[in-house]
Amino acid sequence: MKLDWWTIGLQTINFGILVWLLHRFLYKPVLTMIDARKAEVQRQFDAAKEIEEKAKAQLAGLEADRAAIATERDATLGAATVEAQEMAEAGRAQAKRDAQALIDGTRKTLAEEREKALDEARRLALDLGADFAQRLLSEIPTQYRAEAWIERIEHYLNALSPAERDPLVRQLGDGTPLTIVTACTLPSATTEQWKERLRRSLGLSGGMTFEVNPDLIAGAELHFPTAILRFSWQSSLLAARTEVSADGRSR
Amino acid sequence: MQPSPLTSAVLFHLGPVAITRPVVTTWIIMAVLALVCRLVTRRLSMLPDGRQAVLEGIVTAIMGQIEDVVREDARQFLSLIGTLFIFLVAANLSGVLPGVEAPTGKIETPAALALIVFFSVHYFGIRARGLIGYLRSFAEPKLIMLPLNILSEITRTFSLMVRLFGNVMSGEFVIGLVVALAGLFVPIPLMALEILVGLVQAYIFTVLATVFIGAAVGRVAK
């Protein structure tokens, strides 16, 4: 076997040329493209990394905001709870005060109404008593009823001091008659007897007139020009009513 | 007298230079490879189509194989190693085509490739280590190893050449004999086997060349 050195040399040159051709048309463009793709991938990766970092930062911000919101919510809820408790306490206190005021007002109203009812009952009792008394008195003869009252009047006038009796007498000095008002019409004998005994007790010399007022129930009234001496059950009942009313108001 | 089947047939002469069949076949292979690469890489895009993906896959696979062996940036060796593998695949498989003889089936082409590998190993070794450092590496691990290391440089280059030549040439011989003796379709399984052998031999040649270069630059133990 013999080596063809020309062929060896030509094949060596051919391989060198092929190396250049493939470097020119294959390796260089392919490697350039691969490098560009890697660079693009790296750029996109970096961009994605940057976006991820931003997203993480935003997430951290949102977490912080959420934590702040939760804290604020807790604080607000706490404040609202305290405020609600205070309002409830105030409402309870106000309701207690209102209820106490209502109870007090009701008690006062009840007391007033009870007092009014008692007054009314007393007044009715007095009226009833006066009515009974008037009915009973109507069964007693007039001269007996008058005898009792003239004795009382006479006793009262005799008990007056001159300083009390003289001003009364002076009112009748100019001829003005003394008016005697009785609850019923007195018989003429009783009338004369009353005049006699009153002239003696008061030291009068003038005239006297008699009038009738059934409202007196029993007894009589001596009407001077500027004064009235009352000796009737009407005045006694009026005094009793006044005392009962005064006693009721004092309780 | 019948010419030896081991010799290359001269097709024509350019002056004193005899142009043999392997040279012409190599030119055709070069033209086809350059044309295909030019057509495919003319419009590359960020989103590759099928052809671009195949080419990128081949290139990245070769780079990965180089990096696995050399443990350095594969780009400085890509043009030599990648072209060696692609040319050997194309040359070995060209023998399967009717009327085409594989250039690697003649001794001159494997010899040329072995010589290129031989000188490339020294080039990359000197570039990586410097002349003194590279020459000192022949005396490692002991000075007594110096003659053996020098001899191994020659013998491994010779074995590289003979292995490729012997496998491709024998395959063609077997196919030729079977065709002559048995008929047209009988050698088809042998042709399939020859394709496998061609691919394996291209891979072996390329990996051995890479290992030699890696040893020269100091990344692979000799």
Side-chain angles (χ1 to χ4, degrees):
Chain A
M1 190 174 71
K2 187 175 69 174
L3 288 176
D4 182 356
W5 291 102
W6 282 111
T7 300
I8 292 174
L10 284 173
Q11 290 295 67
T12 304
I13 294 169
N14 286 341
F15 185 79
I17 294 172
L18 184 62
V19 168
W20 180 81
L21 286 173
L22 292 188
H23 175 78
R24 174 75 175 77
F25 296 129
L26 178 60
Y27 305 128
K28 190 175 178 180
V30 169
L31 291 179
T32 301
M33 180 54 61
I34 290 173
D35 291 342
R37 188 178 296 126
K38 282 182 179 177
E40 177 64 17
V41 169
Q42 185 63 40
R43 189 189 64 76
Q44 291 181 359
F45 180 76
D46 292 341
K49 193 78 175 174
E50 186 178 354
I51 292 171
E52 184 184 8
E53 293 297 328
K54 287 182 180 176
K56 284 182 178 176
Q58 287 181 349
L59 184 63
L62 289 175
E63 290 287 345
D65 290 346
R66 195 172 66 178
I69 289 170
T71 304
E72 185 179 353
R73 184 192 62 187
D74 292 342
T76 304
L77 284 175
T81 302
V82 170
E83 187 178 357
Q85 287 176 346
E86 290 176 354
M87 289 177 66
E89 286 294 330
R92 276 198 294 270
Q94 183 64 36
K96 195 177 286 184
R97 284 196 297 273
D98 291 346
Q100 192 60 45
L102 187 63
I103 290 169
D104 293 343
T106 305
R107 282 177 178 168
K108 187 178 178 181
T109 304
L110 284 174
E112 289 174 357
E113 289 182 354
R114 185 178 63 186
E115 202 60 40
K116 284 181 182 177
L118 284 174
D119 288 344
E120 184 67 18
R122 287 189 194 101
R123 189 182 63 77
L124 288 174
L126 288 174
D127 290 344
L128 186 62
D131 189 43
F132 282 148
Q134 196 169 12
R135 287 184 183 180
L136 291 174
L137 284 174
S138 63
E139 296 176 2
I140 299 173
T142 303
Q143 62 270 22
Y144 296 126
R145 282 185 278 167
E147 182 64 24
W149 287 105
I150 191 59
E151 284 184 1
R152 182 179 171 186
I153 294 169
E154 193 175 34
H155 183 263
Y156 176 81
L157 293 175
N158 291 333
L160 288 177
S161 63
E164 292 172 334
R165 188 171 52 231
D166 289 345
L168 293 174
V169 175
R170 274 197 297 270
Q171 293 179 19
L172 304 173
D174 56 352
T176 304
L178 174 65
T179 302
I180 301 160
V181 181
T182 58
C184 58
T185 305
L186 297 177
S188 56
T190 303
T191 303
E192 291 301 324
Q193 186 183 1
W194 275 51
K195 285 180 180 178
E196 181 61 28
R197 294 176 74 167
L198 288 174
R199 283 192 186 99
R200 192 170 50 241
S201 296
L202 291 172
L204 290 175
S205 58
M208 295 182 190
T209 59
F210 282 84
E211 293 180 3
V212 176
N213 183 7
D215 292 336
L216 296 182
I217 303 172
E221 290 179 351
L222 303 181
H223 289 217
F224 294 91
T226 59
I228 299 174
L229 294 181
R230 303 180 190 274
F231 303 98
S232 64
W233 281 9
Q234 183 191 41
S235 62
S236 299
L237 287 173
L238 184 62
R241 281 197 178 94
T242 304
E243 286 178 6
V244 167
S245 299
D247 186 43
R249 279 194 296 274
S250 65
R251 286 183 194 175
Chain B
M1 180 180 171
Q2 185 73 20
S4 170
L6 300 179
T7 59
S8 300
V10 177
L11 296 181
F12 58 92
H13 285 81
L14 285 176
V17 180
I19 304 301
T20 58
R21 183 183 290 270
V23 172
V24 174
T25 306
T26 300
W27 285 347
I28 295 170
I29 290 171
M30 288 167 59
V32 170
L33 288 177
L35 187 63
V36 169
C37 291
R38 177 75 182 112
L39 290 176
V40 174
T41 61
R42 188 173 51 184
R43 290 192 184 90
L44 295 178
S45 65
M46 297 293 283
L47 294 174
D49 56 5
R51 293 174 301 177
Q52 181 181 341
V54 170
L55 269 191
E56 290 184 4
I58 292 172
V59 171
T60 52
I62 293 170
M63 288 178 66
Q65 191 69 40
I66 294 170
E67 283 179 351
D68 287 345
V69 175
V70 180
R71 311 284 173 82
E72 273 194 16
D73 181 21
R75 297 193 179 212
Q76 55 183 327
F77 311 114
L78 178 62
S79 294
L80 176 68
I81 304 295
T83 305
L84 203 56
F85 178 72
I86 292 171
F87 174 70
L88 283 173
V89 169
N92 292 347
L93 298 187
S94 67
V96 180
L97 299 175
V100 178
E101 292 181 357
T104 49
K106 306 300 179 185
I107 190 67
E108 287 83 4
T109 302
L113 296 177
L115 283 173
I116 288 169
V117 171
F118 178 79
F119 288 110
S120 298
V121 166
H122 299 316
Y123 166 74
F124 285 116
I126 293 169
R127 196 182 72 172
R129 298 184 176 194
L131 180 60
I132 304 300
Y134 181 66
L135 292 177
R136 191 181 293 125
S137 69
F138 284 93
E140 292 174 350
K142 295 290 185 183
L143 184 60
I144 194 171
M145 298 295 291
L146 179 63
L148 291 175
N149 283 336
I150 292 173
L151 183 63
S152 74
E153 290 293 321
I154 298 169
T155 54
R156 75 184 186 185
T157 304
F158 188 77
S159 72
L160 203 62
M161 172 187 71
V162 172
R163 183 188 302 109
L164 178 62
F165 165 67
N167 279 283
V168 177
M169 180 271 293
S170 62
E172 286 190 347
F173 261 127
V174 169
I175 293 171
L177 286 173
V178 172
V179 169
L181 296 174
L184 187 59
F185 298 105
V186 176
I188 288 177
L190 294 175
M191 292 173 72
L193 181 64
E194 182 61 18
I195 291 173
L196 179 63
V197 169
L199 292 173
V200 170
Q201 287 306 314
Y203 179 75
I204 289 173
F205 194 99
T206 307
V207 168
L208 286 175
T210 308
V211 170
F212 297 159
I213 291 172
V217 298
R219 295 292 184 269
V220 180
K222 285 192 175 183

